[in-house]
Amino acid sequence: QGMAPEGWELVVVDDGSDDAATLDLLATWASDPQVRVVRHADGTNRGIAWALNAGWAECRGDFIARLDGDDVAHPQRLRVQLEYLQAHPSISILGGGFRTFREHRELRSRAG
């Protein structure tokens, strides 16, 4: 929300997934010009360091936001962080808080 359609890109690093649902989802994104899926040539799992470096190498924007596959971000996260960075040009990196949850209903009960 709040970003022009051409104002973002999504770089997804598939680090050797063999989950059918994940692979199906990535296939549906293949036609979207704002989404790029990065994979190792032999399809193996190379680990977090390789995945981060491969993803960062593909990013073309001025700002990068990282999210692991099992993370859930607040709907306004990117807007709030981008506004902060634009208002404070001397800041080059941001962090954020987190909550641990075990079940989806726990997440919903704390949203807001």
Side-chain angles (χ1 to χ4, degrees):
Q1 285 181 332
M3 293 182 74
E6 68 280 356
W8 61 273
E9 67 178 341
L10 176 63
V11 176
V12 179
V13 179
D14 176 10
D15 191 20
S17 178
D18 60 3
D19 177 73
T22 299
L23 296 173
D24 288 346
L25 179 62
L26 295 178
T28 64
W29 290 346
S31 63
D32 189 327
Q34 290 173 287
V35 178
R36 282 178 288 126
V37 178
V38 178
R39 293 183 170 100
H40 189 270
D42 67 10
T44 59
N45 180 301
R46 295 293 178 114
I48 188 72
W50 177 85
L52 289 173
N53 286 320
W56 285 327
E58 292 292 322
C59 293
R60 297 180 292 221
D62 293 330
F63 301 98
I64 298 172
R66 183 177 170 271
L67 190 69
D68 288 328
D70 60 350
D71 289 350
V72 178
H74 188 279
Q76 299 301 316
R77 172 194 170 203
L78 295 178
R79 182 187 57 78
V80 169
Q81 289 181 331
L82 181 59
E83 287 174 358
Y84 187 87
L85 287 168
Q86 289 172 331
H88 301 88
S90 65
I91 303 294
S92 59
I93 190 168
L94 293 176
F98 69 92
R99 292 183 182 159
T100 302
F101 61 95
R102 291 183 183 86
E103 297 181 26
H104 192 260
R105 70 173 181 258
E106 282 184 71
L107 177 65
R108 288 181 169 259
S109 69
R110 293 181 178 186

